[in-house]
């Protein structure tokens, strides 16, 4: 139940911004000539899951902040007449539908980031397109299971409270240093907290809580002014977390709230997590799941105990 004394005063959220200018160096050489957002997760590029999530929450105006090497992104969300004609001639409706789905999903726009000065800088590049409305930001490394509600809940909270809203998730304290981490106060809604401070990637052991920012934000447009004045922070980059910390501390523009997500999230940001995400998503699919599960059972039996060295590469070199 929502706090009854909040009424809907905010303009509607209609636009989604997806930063996609990263170099994807963790996936080299796969990402040498291809954006990491195009890496397949089962059989769809990672970015398509994110656009589908935005569309499912009613955001059909999508702006991608891209960099060089990103032509494949534009092509993926555009029509491809030759392929459509071939599939139509063959009468392969199933494949035709797959090809056409991504080009009819949303109105996708692109702007280049120019200088890679960080996530805050990428979001600031959306200013002209977004204008003076609240908007969502979705980071492509985090995939949210389509069966679990997050973005639409965040939009509701944004509308009710007239604040900026971030998605939070409880994480193992040992990995808190990989995230923006929040200091919070509980509200009357059990999945909503008021954020009183945020720190980007705190040094191990110094995190103010185990509530980490996962890559979903619904922001008031005032964030742009704050970002324009935010000095480079962690990694010498302009951090969205630092701008949100300012809004949370000053309580300007309604302050900042967190929606605590307890559903399924898949991290595709590094190679191991990416492989895990593919296995998890594929085992749940009707077309691939049964066969994959059966094979996984057999395969697991062939593995050595987890604490045994898995590869000679992990062992120290023998000194003759
Ligand atoms: C970014 C944000 C960080 C957030 C994370 C979520 O970091 O800066 O605050 O917790 O996304 O995935 P990145 O993972 O891009 O370094």
């Amino acid at each position: 139940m929502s706090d009854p004394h909040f009424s809907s005063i905010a303009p509607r959220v209609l636009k989604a911004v997806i930063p996609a200018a990263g170099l994807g160096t963790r996936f080299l050489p796969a990402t040498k000539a291809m954006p990491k957002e195009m890496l397949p997760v089962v059989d769809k590029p990672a970015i398509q899951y994110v656009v589908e999530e935005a569309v499912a929450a009613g955001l059909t105006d999508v702006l991608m902040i891209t960099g060089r090497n990103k032509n494949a992104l534009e092509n993926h969300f555009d029509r491809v007449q030759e392929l459509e004609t071939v599939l139509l001639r063959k009468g392969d409706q199933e494949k035709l539908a797959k090809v056409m789905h991504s080009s009819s999903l949303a109105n996708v726009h692109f702007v280049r980031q120019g200088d890679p000065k960080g996530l805050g800088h990428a979001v600031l590049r959306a200013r002209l397109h977004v204008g003076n409305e609240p908007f969502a930001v979705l980071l492509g490394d985090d995939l949210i299971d389509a069966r679990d509600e997050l973005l639409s809940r965040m939009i509701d909270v944004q509308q009710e409270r007239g604040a900026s809203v971030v998605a939070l998730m409880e994480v193992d304290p040992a990995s808190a240093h990989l995230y923006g981490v929040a200091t919070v106060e509980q509200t009357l809604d059990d999945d909503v907290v008021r954020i009183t401070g945020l720190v980007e990637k705190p040094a191990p052991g110094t995190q103010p809580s185990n509530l980490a920012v996962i890559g979903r934000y619904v922001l008031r447009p005032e964030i742009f002014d704050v970002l324009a004045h935010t000095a480079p922070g962690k990694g010498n980059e302009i951090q969205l977390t630092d701008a949100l910390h300012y809004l949370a501390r000053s309580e300007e523009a309604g302050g900042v709230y967190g929606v605590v997500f307890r559903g399924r999230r898949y991290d595709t940001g590094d190679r191991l997590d990416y492989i895990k995400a593919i296995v998890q998503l594929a085992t749940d699919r009707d077309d691939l799941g049964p066969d994959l599960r059966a094979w996984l059972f057999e395969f697991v039996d062939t593995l050595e105990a987890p604490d045994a060295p898995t590869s000679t590469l992990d062992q120290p070199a023998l000194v003759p």
Side-chain angles (χ1 to χ4, degrees), residues 119 139 141-142 178-180 200-201 213-215 217 239 241 265:
L119 178 59
L139 305 188
D141 285 349
D142 293 296
L178 301 171
Y179 298 92
E200 178 68 7
K201 305 202 174 87
V213 177
I214 53 171
Y217 310 77
Q239 296 292 349
T241 303
R265 161 184 174 258

PDB file of all heavy atoms in Angstrom, residues 119 139 141-142 178-180 200-201 213-215 217 239 241 265, ligand 1:
ATOM      1  N   LEU A 119      29.331   7.724 -16.323  1.00  0.00           N
ATOM      2  CA  LEU A 119      27.887   7.526 -16.418  1.00  0.00           C
ATOM      3  C   LEU A 119      27.106   8.836 -16.264  1.00  0.00           C
ATOM      4  O   LEU A 119      26.139   9.089 -16.994  1.00  0.00           O
ATOM      5  CB  LEU A 119      27.443   6.518 -15.332  1.00  0.00           C
ATOM      6  CG  LEU A 119      25.964   6.218 -15.236  1.00  0.00           C
ATOM      7  CD1 LEU A 119      25.417   5.653 -16.544  1.00  0.00           C
ATOM      8  CD2 LEU A 119      25.691   5.243 -14.081  1.00  0.00           C
ATOM      9  N   LEU A 139      20.579   0.651 -17.159  1.00  0.00           N
ATOM     10  CA  LEU A 139      21.942   0.231 -17.507  1.00  0.00           C
ATOM     11  C   LEU A 139      21.917  -1.188 -18.052  1.00  0.00           C
ATOM     12  O   LEU A 139      21.305  -2.084 -17.460  1.00  0.00           O
ATOM     13  CB  LEU A 139      22.859   0.304 -16.281  1.00  0.00           C
ATOM     14  CG  LEU A 139      22.927   1.648 -15.552  1.00  0.00           C
ATOM     15  CD1 LEU A 139      24.026   1.611 -14.498  1.00  0.00           C
ATOM     16  CD2 LEU A 139      23.144   2.809 -16.506  1.00  0.00           C
ATOM     17  N   ASP A 141      24.083  -3.583 -18.245  1.00  0.00           N
ATOM     18  CA  ASP A 141      24.737  -4.718 -17.599  1.00  0.00           C
ATOM     19  C   ASP A 141      23.811  -5.463 -16.646  1.00  0.00           C
ATOM     20  O   ASP A 141      24.084  -6.599 -16.272  1.00  0.00           O
ATOM     21  CB  ASP A 141      25.962  -4.257 -16.793  1.00  0.00           C
ATOM     22  CG  ASP A 141      27.129  -3.915 -17.695  1.00  0.00           C
ATOM     23  OD1 ASP A 141      27.054  -4.222 -18.896  1.00  0.00           O
ATOM     24  OD2 ASP A 141      28.105  -3.328 -17.191  1.00  0.00           O
ATOM     25  N   ASP A 142      22.750  -4.802 -16.208  1.00  0.00           N
ATOM     26  CA  ASP A 142      21.802  -5.434 -15.291  1.00  0.00           C
ATOM     27  C   ASP A 142      20.562  -5.825 -16.070  1.00  0.00           C
ATOM     28  O   ASP A 142      19.908  -4.971 -16.664  1.00  0.00           O
ATOM     29  CB  ASP A 142      21.372  -4.448 -14.186  1.00  0.00           C
ATOM     30  CG  ASP A 142      22.515  -4.089 -13.264  1.00  0.00           C
ATOM     31  OD1 ASP A 142      23.017  -4.989 -12.583  1.00  0.00           O
ATOM     32  OD2 ASP A 142      22.904  -2.909 -13.247  1.00  0.00           O
ATOM     33  N   LEU A 178      31.563  -2.860  -5.427  1.00  0.00           N
ATOM     34  CA  LEU A 178      31.378  -2.817  -6.888  1.00  0.00           C
ATOM     35  C   LEU A 178      30.206  -1.919  -7.284  1.00  0.00           C
ATOM     36  O   LEU A 178      29.915  -1.754  -8.470  1.00  0.00           O
ATOM     37  CB  LEU A 178      31.107  -4.232  -7.416  1.00  0.00           C
ATOM     38  CG  LEU A 178      32.198  -5.260  -7.141  1.00  0.00           C
ATOM     39  CD1 LEU A 178      31.734  -6.661  -7.506  1.00  0.00           C
ATOM     40  CD2 LEU A 178      33.467  -4.893  -7.927  1.00  0.00           C
ATOM     41  N   TYR A 179      29.523  -1.348  -6.308  1.00  0.00           N
ATOM     42  CA  TYR A 179      28.260  -0.634  -6.562  1.00  0.00           C
ATOM     43  C   TYR A 179      28.248   0.755  -5.927  1.00  0.00           C
ATOM     44  O   TYR A 179      29.077   1.070  -5.081  1.00  0.00           O
ATOM     45  CB  TYR A 179      27.098  -1.418  -5.926  1.00  0.00           C
ATOM     46  CG  TYR A 179      26.879  -2.784  -6.476  1.00  0.00           C
ATOM     47  CD1 TYR A 179      27.493  -3.895  -5.893  1.00  0.00           C
ATOM     48  CD2 TYR A 179      26.040  -2.997  -7.564  1.00  0.00           C
ATOM     49  CE1 TYR A 179      27.286  -5.171  -6.385  1.00  0.00           C
ATOM     50  CE2 TYR A 179      25.822  -4.273  -8.057  1.00  0.00           C
ATOM     51  CZ  TYR A 179      26.437  -5.350  -7.467  1.00  0.00           C
ATOM     52  OH  TYR A 179      26.218  -6.614  -7.954  1.00  0.00           O
ATOM     53  N   GLY A 180      27.206   1.528  -6.292  1.00  0.00           N
ATOM     54  CA  GLY A 180      26.828   2.678  -5.494  1.00  0.00           C
ATOM     55  C   GLY A 180      26.062   2.118  -4.293  1.00  0.00           C
ATOM     56  O   GLY A 180      25.235   1.219  -4.449  1.00  0.00           O
ATOM     57  N   GLU A 200      29.671   6.099  -4.173  1.00  0.00           N
ATOM     58  CA  GLU A 200      30.013   5.271  -5.331  1.00  0.00           C
ATOM     59  C   GLU A 200      31.189   4.370  -4.995  1.00  0.00           C
ATOM     60  O   GLU A 200      32.250   4.828  -4.568  1.00  0.00           O
ATOM     61  CB  GLU A 200      30.354   6.171  -6.537  1.00  0.00           C
ATOM     62  CG  GLU A 200      30.775   5.424  -7.798  1.00  0.00           C
ATOM     63  CD  GLU A 200      29.654   4.600  -8.453  1.00  0.00           C
ATOM     64  OE1 GLU A 200      28.485   4.687  -8.026  1.00  0.00           O
ATOM     65  OE2 GLU A 200      29.967   3.866  -9.403  1.00  0.00           O
ATOM     66  N   LYS A 201      30.974   3.085  -5.149  1.00  0.00           N
ATOM     67  CA  LYS A 201      32.014   2.068  -4.960  1.00  0.00           C
ATOM     68  C   LYS A 201      32.881   2.323  -3.722  1.00  0.00           C
ATOM     69  O   LYS A 201      34.079   2.625  -3.828  1.00  0.00           O
ATOM     70  CB  LYS A 201      32.866   1.957  -6.226  1.00  0.00           C
ATOM     71  CG  LYS A 201      32.002   1.683  -7.461  1.00  0.00           C
ATOM     72  CD  LYS A 201      32.750   1.053  -8.603  1.00  0.00           C
ATOM     73  CE  LYS A 201      31.805   0.674  -9.713  1.00  0.00           C
ATOM     74  NZ  LYS A 201      31.504   1.698 -10.695  1.00  0.00           N
ATOM     75  N   VAL A 213      22.925   0.107  -5.374  1.00  0.00           N
ATOM     76  CA  VAL A 213      22.175   0.623  -6.515  1.00  0.00           C
ATOM     77  C   VAL A 213      22.327  -0.360  -7.665  1.00  0.00           C
ATOM     78  O   VAL A 213      23.452  -0.697  -8.054  1.00  0.00           O
ATOM     79  CB  VAL A 213      22.726   2.004  -6.955  1.00  0.00           C
ATOM     80  CG1 VAL A 213      22.006   2.507  -8.187  1.00  0.00           C
ATOM     81  CG2 VAL A 213      22.650   3.008  -5.819  1.00  0.00           C
ATOM     82  N   ILE A 214      21.201  -0.874  -8.167  1.00  0.00           N
ATOM     83  CA  ILE A 214      21.286  -1.671  -9.392  1.00  0.00           C
ATOM     84  C   ILE A 214      20.846  -0.741 -10.526  1.00  0.00           C
ATOM     85  O   ILE A 214      20.255   0.306 -10.276  1.00  0.00           O
ATOM     86  CB  ILE A 214      20.465  -2.980  -9.308  1.00  0.00           C
ATOM     87  CG1 ILE A 214      19.026  -2.734  -8.896  1.00  0.00           C
ATOM     88  CG2 ILE A 214      21.156  -3.931  -8.350  1.00  0.00           C
ATOM     89  CD1 ILE A 214      18.138  -3.955  -9.004  1.00  0.00           C
ATOM     90  N   GLY A 215      21.146  -1.097 -11.737  1.00  0.00           N
ATOM     91  CA  GLY A 215      21.078  -0.121 -12.825  1.00  0.00           C
ATOM     92  C   GLY A 215      19.711   0.333 -13.318  1.00  0.00           C
ATOM     93  O   GLY A 215      19.450   0.315 -14.528  1.00  0.00           O
ATOM     94  N   TYR A 217      16.984   3.689 -12.715  1.00  0.00           N
ATOM     95  CA  TYR A 217      16.758   4.990 -12.085  1.00  0.00           C
ATOM     96  C   TYR A 217      15.528   5.626 -12.729  1.00  0.00           C
ATOM     97  O   TYR A 217      15.331   5.485 -13.939  1.00  0.00           O
ATOM     98  CB  TYR A 217      17.936   5.932 -12.338  1.00  0.00           C
ATOM     99  CG  TYR A 217      19.317   5.362 -12.029  1.00  0.00           C
ATOM    100  CD1 TYR A 217      19.941   4.463 -12.910  1.00  0.00           C
ATOM    101  CD2 TYR A 217      20.011   5.743 -10.885  1.00  0.00           C
ATOM    102  CE1 TYR A 217      21.215   3.963 -12.637  1.00  0.00           C
ATOM    103  CE2 TYR A 217      21.292   5.244 -10.619  1.00  0.00           C
ATOM    104  CZ  TYR A 217      21.886   4.358 -11.492  1.00  0.00           C
ATOM    105  OH  TYR A 217      23.152   3.869 -11.230  1.00  0.00           O
ATOM    106  N   GLN A 239      30.108  10.991 -11.880  1.00  0.00           N
ATOM    107  CA  GLN A 239      29.313   9.871 -11.370  1.00  0.00           C
ATOM    108  C   GLN A 239      27.861  10.292 -11.144  1.00  0.00           C
ATOM    109  O   GLN A 239      27.584  11.274 -10.450  1.00  0.00           O
ATOM    110  CB  GLN A 239      29.904   9.359 -10.051  1.00  0.00           C
ATOM    111  CG  GLN A 239      31.306   8.780 -10.177  1.00  0.00           C
ATOM    112  CD  GLN A 239      31.331   7.471 -10.979  1.00  0.00           C
ATOM    113  OE1 GLN A 239      30.300   6.872 -11.270  1.00  0.00           O
ATOM    114  NE2 GLN A 239      32.530   7.038 -11.355  1.00  0.00           N
ATOM    115  N   THR A 241      25.922   8.669  -9.285  1.00  0.00           N
ATOM    116  CA  THR A 241      25.754   8.463  -7.840  1.00  0.00           C
ATOM    117  C   THR A 241      26.048   9.750  -7.062  1.00  0.00           C
ATOM    118  O   THR A 241      25.340  10.080  -6.110  1.00  0.00           O
ATOM    119  CB  THR A 241      26.711   7.336  -7.366  1.00  0.00           C
ATOM    120  OG1 THR A 241      26.421   6.173  -8.129  1.00  0.00           O
ATOM    121  CG2 THR A 241      26.537   7.027  -5.891  1.00  0.00           C
ATOM    122  N   ARG A 265      17.572 -10.740 -10.738  1.00  0.00           N
ATOM    123  CA  ARG A 265      18.417  -9.825 -11.510  1.00  0.00           C
ATOM    124  C   ARG A 265      19.602 -10.616 -12.039  1.00  0.00           C
ATOM    125  O   ARG A 265      20.155 -11.467 -11.340  1.00  0.00           O
ATOM    126  CB  ARG A 265      18.914  -8.704 -10.604  1.00  0.00           C
ATOM    127  CG  ARG A 265      20.124  -7.959 -11.127  1.00  0.00           C
ATOM    128  CD  ARG A 265      20.596  -6.937 -10.126  1.00  0.00           C
ATOM    129  NE  ARG A 265      21.831  -6.329 -10.551  1.00  0.00           N
ATOM    130  CZ  ARG A 265      23.036  -6.655 -10.068  1.00  0.00           C
ATOM    131  NH1 ARG A 265      23.169  -7.596  -9.150  1.00  0.00           N
ATOM    132  NH2 ARG A 265      24.117  -6.049 -10.512  1.00  0.00           N
TER     133      ARG A 265
HETATM  134  C1  LIG B   1      27.215   1.694 -12.251  1.00  0.00           C
HETATM  135  C2  LIG B   1      26.959   2.767 -11.182  1.00  0.00           C
HETATM  136  C3  LIG B   1      26.864   2.128  -9.800  1.00  0.00           C
HETATM  137  C4  LIG B   1      25.808   1.043  -9.809  1.00  0.00           C
HETATM  138  C5  LIG B   1      26.095   0.021 -10.922  1.00  0.00           C
HETATM  139  C6  LIG B   1      24.955  -0.979 -11.041  1.00  0.00           C
HETATM  140  O1  LIG B   1      28.510   1.176 -12.047  1.00  0.00           O
HETATM  141  O2  LIG B   1      27.978   3.731 -11.225  1.00  0.00           O
HETATM  142  O3  LIG B   1      26.538   3.094  -8.847  1.00  0.00           O
HETATM  143  O4  LIG B   1      25.759   0.408  -8.548  1.00  0.00           O
HETATM  144  O5  LIG B   1      26.254   0.656 -12.189  1.00  0.00           O
HETATM  145  O6  LIG B   1      25.228  -1.987 -11.970  1.00  0.00           O
HETATM  146  P1  LIG B   1      29.280   0.269 -13.150  1.00  0.00           P
HETATM  147  O7  LIG B   1      28.856  -1.147 -12.862  1.00  0.00           O
HETATM  148  O8  LIG B   1      28.826   0.732 -14.494  1.00  0.00           O
HETATM  149  O9  LIG B   1      30.729   0.489 -12.905  1.00  0.00           O
END
